[in-house]
Amino acid sequence: LIVLFFLPTLEVFYLGQILPMMLLGVLGFLYFINRRKDFFAGLMFNLVLIKPQLLYLLVVAVVIWALQNRRWKVLAGLLIGFLAESLLVTSLNPGIFQDYLVYTTESMPLMITISISQFLRHQFGINKTWLQYCLVPPAIIWIFAYYIYHNHDWQWQRNIPWVILVSLATTPFVWFSDLHFAVFAILPIAAWVVERRRIWLKAFFLTTVIIVPVIPFIYSTYWYEYWWLSLFFLIWYALWRMTAHRLPVLETQEGLA
């Protein structure tokens, strides 16, 4: 229920966006990986590529992990699924990839998003479009370092909240509804909080999850002033992890239910 009252989730349903398909892709990937059905995991992960810039670090992590662990069927499913989708969309619109390239390089930089990099452009010069992508290189370095550090005990359910939250904080283009993917960090914390008897802890958790996303709507005039939300949830998750030394992993069975 907490997910349903999370404001970005409500906006997803209100706007009728396709983000739930991406969410299904991530959950499907976790579900099939846990059952070692790698080909189907790769197929499901293709849904994440609907908006590749959003969870781009997760894409990098999956490719690194599959290569390092020789899980070739994951890559096969990813490749075959991508080719099948490409054939389908190009049959409907032969110039779709060229249109997407023009859209991402010319049109999207002109849009007002809630990304941190958008905020930097408004602070240091809106015409400095390179600032829109300035956080991507350090984020790529981070995902390689993070994977190498956790390689010996890599668990998707435990590591995926970090990867998703850093992606949301560093992607060049993110909108308010995209913060819906913060649920991958919210769910394990919610499971931990429910097991505690302290009422104030539950109240604090609900306040931060339900109330904080509403705050920008009260005082902000422009979308770029929402820039701090993605950073907030990253820091928020880090603080909860420090408080709860043993947070439960995200159970894909519960997530699919």
Side-chain angles (χ1 to χ4, degrees):
L1 289 178
I2 187 67
V3 174
L4 294 179
F5 289 100
F6 186 47
L7 191 58
T9 302
L10 293 176
E11 184 172 70
V12 168
F13 291 121
Y14 175 76
L15 297 177
Q17 294 192 342
I18 202 170
L19 291 177
M21 294 294 293
M22 294 179 63
L23 180 65
L24 179 63
V26 177
L27 292 174
F29 171 78
L30 295 175
Y31 179 86
F32 286 115
I33 280 296
N34 286 343
R35 287 154 180 76
R36 295 196 68 86
K37 296 182 178 180
D38 290 2
F39 181 77
F40 293 104
L43 282 178
M44 290 298 297
F45 193 73
N46 269 280
L47 295 175
V48 176
L49 302 181
I50 292 174
K51 294 180 70 173
Q53 82 283 352
L54 188 57
L55 303 181
Y56 71 104
L57 292 181
L58 184 58
V59 177
V60 174
V62 167
V63 173
I64 297 173
W65 174 83
L67 289 172
Q68 196 267 333
N69 291 280
R70 298 177 182 272
R71 304 288 285 267
W72 309 121
K73 290 183 179 179
V74 173
L75 297 177
L78 186 59
L79 179 60
I80 292 174
F82 178 75
L83 291 176
E85 292 173 354
S86 299
L87 288 174
L88 176 62
V89 297
T90 51
S91 66
L92 300 174
N93 182 2
I96 190 169
F97 287 107
Q98 182 178 356
D99 293 343
Y100 179 77
L101 181 62
V102 172
Y103 177 69
T104 54
T105 57
E106 297 181 10
S107 299
M108 287 185 72
L110 300 177
M111 296 180 179
I112 304 299
T113 72
I114 68 167
S115 66
I116 296 175
S117 55
Q118 179 82 66
F119 174 76
L120 293 176
R121 285 181 63 190
H122 279 272
Q123 294 299 308
F124 299 105
I126 194 65
N127 293 325
K128 297 179 179 179
T129 55
W130 63 269
L131 284 173
Q132 196 78 41
Y133 309 93
C134 68
L135 297 179
V136 174
I140 296 293
I141 295 173
W142 173 85
I143 191 61
F144 275 94
Y146 182 78
Y147 182 83
I148 292 172
Y149 183 80
H150 293 279
N151 180 38
H152 64 286
D153 63 344
W154 186 268
Q155 298 180 43
W156 278 112
Q157 288 91 336
R158 188 174 298 278
N159 293 312
I160 207 168
W162 288 112
V163 179
I164 287 179
L165 289 177
V166 175
S167 290
L168 293 175
T170 59
T171 181
F173 308 104
V174 61
W175 283 264
F176 183 78
S177 57
D178 295 333
L179 297 180
H180 165 70
F181 286 98
V183 298
F184 282 96
I186 293 172
L187 287 176
I189 296 175
W192 182 82
V193 169
V194 167
E195 295 176 352
R196 300 301 179 275
R197 297 180 179 179
R198 299 175 182 177
I199 300 299
W200 69 266
L201 193 64
K202 297 178 181 179
F204 179 74
F205 171 78
L206 289 174
T207 300
T208 53
V209 172
I210 303 299
I211 303 300
V212 169
V214 179
I215 294 176
F217 287 90
I218 299 174
Y219 79 88
S220 298
T221 305
Y222 304 102
W223 277 113
Y224 71 87
E225 294 177 340
Y226 291 51
W227 67 271
W228 56 270
L229 279 174
S230 58
L231 184 61
F232 167 81
F233 282 109
L234 178 58
I235 297 174
W236 176 84
Y237 183 68
L239 292 175
W240 276 105
R241 288 297 298 263
M242 292 170 59
T243 303
H245 299 291
R246 296 191 63 182
L247 277 175
V249 298
L250 176 69
E251 295 291 343
T252 53
Q253 290 89 343
E254 294 179 7
L256 289 171

